[in-house]
Amino acid sequence: MFKGRKLLIATKHHKESVIAPIFNTELGVHCFTSDAFDTDILGTFSGEIARLDSALTTLRNKCILANKVTGCDLIIATEGSFGPHPSLFFAAANDELIMLKDFQNDIEIIAREISMDTNFDGKLISSELELKAFAEKVQFPTHGIILKSTEDNPIQIIKNNRSVDELIQNFEELSKAFKTVFAETDMRAVFNPTRMKFIQKAAENLLIKIKNCCPNCETPGFDIVAVKPGLKCENCSFPTRSTLSHLYQCKKCEFKCEKMFPRGIQFEDPTYCDFCNP
């Protein structure tokens, strides 16, 4: 279905460096990028343009925009979010979504990678000493820093700081012009190797989903649509909240099948039983 086709990676931040090698090799496509459109119009991490839609909607809109502008019918795009972990609220997380959209065959396949391994941070800076400490903490200069006049709705933003000396000079200029300076990590992929690493992992997750074809019609992307709890406790045999099965469904022919014991175990440890360990 994909071999020999052109695959457009919708990015302006060099994500193709980690995505293209995977799909060129594994799917036999010819990956390329285009500067005919600007994905930043859908939102920027630095705050000049707010992301108005959810990450998933924005991701889909990136693919649609790329298709409309270039005419390419096979698109990959990613969209990252940064903030509290969805289940561990005390920790910051990098949540990467990646989508393959095949307009020719009307297929949309989505994968995700969530990690707490992120340097995502921001701080109101009042001195050169504070700035140097922040820079060391977030791994500058291998990872970028953005300076802003204020955290929200800034009048001035300075990006692409390349060295400690340049960072300090720009900080001093902002300090003279404004009462405050806010420093934050640059989460654009090309300026954040840690994020780029998880974009690659998300791409690998996507490849696994693409290769999982429907047993009925062989359409790629046969994926989990529901998770069923109820794995029995090893001690009392009562159902627990742990996963008993995954329900898969084809997006093309709607064929369904249930796969039991996806974790490879048929009983749960009593530690996770509400009856044995209330």
Side-chain angles (χ1 to χ4, degrees):
M1 186 175 287
F2 303 119
K3 189 174 182 180
R5 292 173 63 187
K6 289 185 176 181
L7 171 61
L8 173 59
I9 302 173
T11 181
K12 62 177 292 184
H13 299 304
H14 302 296
K15 297 173 187 175
E16 72 276 5
S17 64
V18 295
I19 296 174
I22 295 171
F23 291 94
N24 282 337
T25 302
E26 297 292 334
L27 293 186
V29 294
H30 305 292
C31 291
F32 72 104
T33 58
S34 173
D35 57 6
F37 59 95
D38 184 359
T39 53
D40 278 355
I41 66 172
L42 300 174
T44 60
F45 285 119
S46 47
E48 299 100 327
I49 301 172
R51 188 175 75 185
L52 300 178
D53 297 308
S54 68
L56 180 56
T57 299
T58 301
L59 178 58
R60 187 173 289 116
N61 287 339
K62 279 185 182 181
C63 294
I64 293 170
L65 174 65
N67 168 254
K68 285 182 177 179
V69 173
T70 68
C72 183
D73 57 17
L74 190 60
I75 315 284
I76 276 185
T78 81
E79 183 69 12
S81 300
F82 302 89
H85 190 280
S87 56
L88 304 172
F89 303 114
F90 58 86
N94 174 189
D95 188 353
E96 292 290 343
L97 285 175
I98 186 168
M99 176 185 290
L100 173 80
K101 199 161 181 67
D102 183 350
F103 291 85
Q104 178 178 305
N105 295 294
D106 191 24
I107 296 172
E108 181 180 282
I109 305 173
I110 303 164
R112 187 182 193 186
E113 178 69 18
I114 302 177
S115 174
M116 292 188 293
D117 182 10
T118 175
N119 72 330
F120 175 70
D121 204 353
K123 181 178 175 61
L124 196 63
I125 303 294
S126 58
S127 68
E128 182 181 317
L129 190 64
E130 280 187 358
L131 181 62
K132 286 183 177 179
F134 179 78
E136 183 176 354
K137 178 185 177 185
V138 301
Q139 305 173 64
F140 181 82
T142 59
H143 292 63
I145 288 179
I146 296 174
L147 297 177
K148 303 161 72 171
S149 53
T150 53
E151 180 177 4
D152 300 313
N153 304 312
I155 297 172
Q156 186 174 352
I157 299 173
I158 302 177
K159 298 188 282 189
N160 304 339
N161 297 285
R162 292 179 291 272
S163 66
V164 173
D165 289 342
E166 184 178 15
L167 184 70
I168 292 171
Q169 181 181 342
N170 289 331
F171 165 73
E172 290 174 348
E173 289 179 6
L174 277 179
S175 296
K176 290 175 184 176
F178 303 95
K179 292 181 180 179
T180 60
V181 175
F182 189 81
E184 66 182 23
T185 46
D186 191 340
M187 304 314 296
R188 293 176 295 172
V190 68
F191 296 103
N192 199 295
T194 297
R195 183 186 172 208
M196 192 71 89
K197 178 174 66 175
F198 290 105
I199 291 173
Q200 179 177 341
K201 185 65 174 69
E204 292 167 353
N205 295 344
L206 179 62
L207 180 66
I208 292 170
K209 287 196 174 188
I210 292 170
K211 288 188 170 186
N212 192 29
C213 296
C214 173
N216 185 56
C217 70
E218 298 187 352
T219 297
F222 191 58
D223 200 8
I224 299 167
V225 293
V227 177
K228 183 179 177 181
L231 189 65
K232 289 184 178 181
C233 172
E234 190 175 28
N235 182 52
C236 69
S237 294
F238 276 27
T240 69
R241 301 183 196 183
S242 298
T243 299
L244 174 66
S245 66
H246 286 162
L247 180 65
Y248 287 75
Q249 182 174 354
C250 177
K251 295 177 182 178
K252 201 75 172 176
C253 72
E254 298 189 355
F255 173 80
K256 294 180 182 180
C257 76
E258 186 176 17
K259 294 189 177 181
M260 304 296 294
F261 314 118
R263 293 169 54 207
I265 57 173
Q266 296 189 23
F267 294 94
E268 184 55 283
D269 189 293
T271 303
Y272 304 102
C273 174
D274 291 340
F275 183 77
C276 296
N277 188 26

